[in-house]
Amino acid sequence: MFFRMIRGTFVRQWKKMLMIALTIALGASLATAMISVVLDVGDKVNQELKTYGANITVLPKQSSVVSDLYDVEGGSASGGAYLNEDELGNIKTIFWAFNIVDYAPFVNAQASLADGTEVTVVGSWFNHHMELPTGETLDAGMNSLRSWWDVNGAWIDEKSENSGNTAMIGANVAGSQGLSVGDTIHLKGTESEDDFEIVGVYEAGGTEDDEIFVSLSSAQALDGLDGKVDSIEVSALTTPDNELAVKAAKDPKSLTVAQYETWYCTAYVSSICYQIQEVITDSVASPVRQVADSEGAILDKTQLLMILIMILSLIGSALGISNLVTASVMERSGEIGLMKAIGAYNAPVMGLVLTEILGATVIGTVIGFGAGVGFAQIIGQSVFSSSIAIRTMVIPMVAVLMVIVTLAGSIPAIRMLQKLEPAEVLHGR
């Protein structure tokens, strides 16, 4: 009898049941899309921000101390201390190796042009191909770390045979020397000299515009710095800092064993810096705070916006359900009054009504989840130009939210049902 009554309701009031299901579907679709984006937006935002440079700088311990004394942010001078080039591959062996998306070493050399003008020559990687100790391969370097540079010409291509004799010059150097793409410059260092063909003229908007960039080995040769590196810039996907990360950044030894394990196994910028220091001899890795803090702030605001949109949509769904269920109970007041008159208690009647509503909720949730997956992909492609991963945990989260919304929206109708008096209803009052 119970299920016959439910089936009868779906047949007689199919329009209202359909409207309830569609209202739930709308809320479920937005909840699915927003939760999926929130769970995946961290990596997407971090990937977008990686185009604006590195968020970790690695310096020799000695030069880092000098930089701290003079309050220099990531100083470029080595102060006579260097990092070992042959340890660069170790960065991709740390616990969070897969979060290291790019990195490049830098070495500064002083050289003079043909007219005697002194210039700073910076050696680095551009599209450097690495065979890593883990068996993986990686193309890393300036091409992606400095992707915002306005380059006239081309980047140095390390895959070409003559890459060691090519250079990129800053806009200020090009302007003062009257140089352009295709010209040849002669650089004389303290240990060697060589000719370099200009393949690109770049405008960075900073001190780099007064410098000349060449391959790492070429700059090392000019000053006799074979195998030595001044600094390393690392671009890593990180998790926004919390109290534990701040405490660990000050002193990892102050953490308990449990706190240390949590911190070490979470992609905080401080834990990644700590792990880099473990694999690079006599190094100090520190976050570029402007970038690291911006990542956390932007991520937090983006996630908050998504959550607010989801909450507002669920409130709207609850209000819609409230109106529809209340109207349904009012239409069936005679039927409900008759049930009470022949001995039905409030609990069974409430159970009947809620079962009918939850049946429509299940249908709406299934439809809404499918639509939400599509909405999430539209958001991913239009905003991040990539798909959004739909995690399994989204299914129970959406289901629980829809049940809560349905029950919350049914409260006014249930209270009306409880107060309904059979005598008044059956007499038409």
Side-chain angles (χ1 to χ4, degrees):
M1 177 63 69
F2 183 79
F3 293 105
R4 286 179 61 187
M5 295 178 69
I6 293 175
R7 184 177 61 186
T9 300
F10 274 89
V11 172
R12 293 191 307 272
Q13 292 191 315
W14 66 271
K15 291 183 179 180
K16 279 194 172 53
M17 292 296 108
L18 179 61
M19 288 301 298
I20 292 174
L22 291 177
T23 302
I24 287 294
L26 178 60
S29 64
L30 287 174
T32 301
M34 294 301 102
I35 292 174
S36 298
V37 173
V38 165
L39 292 176
D40 202 43
V41 74
D43 289 347
K44 304 296 182 188
V45 170
N46 275 321
Q47 288 283 12
E48 290 290 321
L49 291 174
K50 291 309 149 230
T51 61
Y52 298 100
N55 55 353
I56 295 174
T57 301
V58 186
L59 296 172
K61 187 174 295 184
Q62 180 177 327
S63 63
S64 176
V65 171
V66 174
S67 297
D68 290 341
L69 287 174
Y70 292 96
D71 196 22
V72 176
E73 178 74 25
S76 58
S78 67
Y82 298 94
L83 301 173
N84 297 321
E85 181 184 355
D86 57 8
E87 292 184 343
L88 292 174
N90 294 348
I91 293 177
K92 287 292 286 184
T93 65
I94 66 173
F95 181 85
W96 287 106
F98 289 107
N99 283 51
I100 305 296
V101 295
D102 201 0
Y103 64 102
F106 295 88
V107 65
N108 292 346
Q110 296 302 312
S112 57
L113 298 171
D115 63 355
T117 301
E118 295 289 330
V119 294
T120 298
V121 179
V122 182
S124 185
W125 290 345
F126 292 86
N127 55 341
H128 186 75
H129 184 75
M130 296 183 64
E131 300 288 340
L132 301 174
T134 58
E136 301 172 88
T137 59
L138 174 70
D139 288 333
M142 295 275 292
N143 295 29
S144 55
L145 281 179
R146 298 290 190 274
S147 60
W148 71 89
W149 280 8
D150 183 10
V151 178
N152 178 24
W155 290 88
I156 293 175
D157 183 7
E158 294 191 37
K159 297 178 182 178
S160 65
E161 295 182 358
N162 65 335
S163 62
N165 291 101
T166 56
M168 297 178 67
I169 65 173
N172 293 345
V173 178
S176 62
Q177 296 293 320
L179 299 170
S180 60
V181 175
D183 292 343
T184 299
I185 56 174
H186 184 79
L187 295 176
K188 182 178 181 180
T190 58
E191 294 294 330
S192 68
E193 54 187 290
D194 208 342
D195 292 325
F196 295 85
E197 178 187 355
I198 300 173
V199 295
V201 177
Y202 63 86
E203 186 171 355
T207 57
E208 296 95 338
D209 290 343
D210 297 311
E211 299 171 341
I212 297 175
F213 276 77
V214 298
S215 67
L216 183 64
S217 58
S218 297
Q220 289 170 335
L222 288 174
D223 268 5
L225 300 174
D226 292 346
K228 297 178 180 179
V229 173
D230 283 332
S231 63
I232 308 169
E233 291 187 8
V234 181
S235 180
L237 300 177
T238 60
T239 298
D241 283 353
N242 56 14
E243 292 183 5
L244 175 61
V246 173
K247 181 179 179 181
K250 294 178 180 178
D251 183 13
K253 295 180 180 179
S254 65
L255 303 179
T256 64
V257 174
Q259 288 177 330
Y260 180 84
E261 290 179 353
T262 300
W263 169 72
Y264 195 89
C265 297
T266 305
Y268 299 122
V269 66
S270 56
S271 67
I272 293 178
C273 287
Y274 184 80
Q275 292 169 32
I276 291 174
Q277 291 175 183
E278 289 181 320
V279 297
I280 302 296
T281 305
D282 292 331
S283 66
V284 173
S286 56
V288 180
R289 275 298 163 195
Q290 295 92 329
V291 177
D293 291 346
S294 296
E295 288 178 357
I298 293 173
L299 179 58
D300 289 342
K301 291 178 181 179
T302 302
Q303 290 178 330
L304 177 61
L305 175 61
M306 297 293 180
I307 292 172
L308 288 176
I309 292 174
M310 181 184 69
I311 291 174
L312 291 175
S313 70
L314 294 178
I315 291 174
S317 296
L319 292 174
I321 291 171
S322 177
N323 291 332
L324 290 169
V325 176
T326 301
S328 176
V329 170
M330 291 177 65
E331 285 184 11
R332 299 172 60 191
S333 59
E335 174 188 343
I336 295 171
L338 181 60
M339 292 170 61
K340 285 190 172 185
I342 61 177
Y345 294 103
N346 282 333
V349 177
M350 289 168 51
L352 174 66
V353 174
L354 287 176
T355 302
E356 295 167 354
I357 298 169
L358 289 174
T361 298
V362 171
I363 297 172
T365 301
V366 173
I367 297 172
F369 182 81
V373 171
F375 290 155
Q377 302 312 317
I378 293 173
I379 294 172
Q381 293 295 336
S382 60
V383 178
F384 303 108
S385 299
S386 62
S387 60
I388 298 294
I390 306 299
R391 292 171 167 79
T392 306
M393 63 185 298
V394 175
I395 298 175
M397 291 175 67
V398 172
V400 170
L401 285 174
M402 290 304 102
V403 170
I404 293 174
V405 167
T406 300
L407 294 177
S410 303
I411 290 175
I414 296 301
R415 295 182 64 182
M416 178 187 295
L417 186 152
Q418 289 177 323
K419 295 178 180 179
L420 190 147
E421 295 293 337
E424 293 182 0
V425 173
L426 295 177
H427 282 85
R429 291 195 292 254

